[in-house]
Amino acid sequence: IVYRVEREGTAILSKMVAGQTIDTMGPQGNGFDISVIEAGQKALLVGGGIGVPPMVELAKELKKQGVTEIISVIGYRDGNLFLKEELEKYSQVYVATEDGSAGVKGNVMNAIQEYGLKADVIYSCGPKPMLRAVKEFGLSHEIETQISLEEKMACGIGACLACVCKSKDIDEHSHVHNKRICKDGPVFAAEEV
Ligand code: FES
């Protein structure tokens, strides 16, 4: 489990010590759909910040499934390239940093453009502006693109509607153009949200 200390909950977590126990619920929602990619196809994994950790498990699963061309583009604020080496075990890794201390200076899209990267399927997780850019890139190149969204969550089981995002289709649950990230997601087809 990888998390960033953000507010009270994660601050409490960060003070726990080995041997302490905690009640958890999950996993909740869906995950990336790896059934859409075939062994000979190319997967592009795009992760930014706290969106990098999910890419490690995804790359591992894709490799297990026999996908040989797995490219990861990961973006960081600075030279603290957490989990980069882990990701390199399963994929070819390109790095972008905002301060230019490693890899391409800028964001993941700058790295994708600099190296002219293309793929058959794109999987992405990270901050909203990054996902918006990845979505645009994927749709404009007609590449199947799945994005994993994040939002503050209260119930985590689809009841409170604290975590909705705007969607193309009307939601069966609330009858508006909303999707619950905790239950309908967090992974969506890019054109859906
Ligand atoms: Fe309650 Fe998603 S957190 S519906």
Side-chain angles (χ1 to χ4, degrees):
I1 295 176
V2 182
Y3 64 94
R4 177 178 63 205
V5 178
E6 183 78 25
R7 274 177 274 277
E8 275 176 66
T10 39
I12 293 167
L13 267 184
S14 72
K15 294 197 179 82
M16 295 190 76
V17 295
Q20 261 186 287
T21 60
I22 190 166
D23 288 331
T24 61
M25 186 171 69
Q28 311 289 80
N30 64 4
F32 289 109
D33 183 1
I34 58 171
S35 70
V36 299
I37 189 159
E38 287 159 28
Q41 290 188 309
K42 192 187 278 187
L44 179 60
L45 281 50
V46 187
I50 199 65
V52 172
M55 296 300 130
V56 178
E57 183 62 23
L58 176 61
K60 197 196 261 182
E61 293 296 324
L62 287 169
K63 195 165 183 180
K64 216 191 279 174
Q65 189 174 283
V67 179
T68 47
E69 282 206 87
I70 308 169
I71 299 171
S72 300
V73 182
I74 45 180
Y76 299 91
R77 207 168 283 167
D78 51 35
N80 175 18
L81 312 179
F82 56 90
L83 295 174
K84 175 178 167 276
E85 284 173 20
E86 196 65 21
L87 200 48
E88 278 170 342
K89 290 184 196 162
Y90 314 104
S91 66
Q92 187 182 347
V93 176
Y94 296 91
V95 170
T97 52
E98 281 172 28
D99 67 359
S101 56
V104 173
K105 183 172 168 40
N107 58 33
V108 289
M109 288 314 302
N110 296 120
I112 288 172
Q113 270 143 16
E114 173 124 359
Y115 295 106
L117 302 174
K118 295 263 168 61
D120 297 295
V121 183
I122 298 175
Y123 298 100
S124 188
C125 184
K128 237 181 242 174
M130 187 199 96
L131 293 179
R132 212 168 268 141
V134 171
K135 169 183 168 165
E136 227 168 79
F137 174 81
L139 295 186
S140 66
H141 289 81
E142 295 181 355
I143 303 171
E144 167 153 7
T145 302
Q146 298 178 19
I147 55 177
S148 180
L149 302 183
E150 123 182 312
E151 193 47 86
K152 284 178 206 152
M153 292 176 188
C155 72
I157 54 167
C160 74
L161 306 183
C163 64
V164 293
C165 64
K166 280 213 169 75
S167 62
K168 197 179 78 186
D169 296 329
I170 287 179
D171 175 38
E172 286 171 15
H173 173 82
S174 49
H175 307 292
V176 288
H177 289 270
N178 273 345
K179 292 274 183 200
R180 293 160 296 170
I181 293 175
C182 71
K183 190 165 173 70
D184 306 314
V187 177
F188 297 93
E191 64 274 15
E192 275 302 310
V193 290

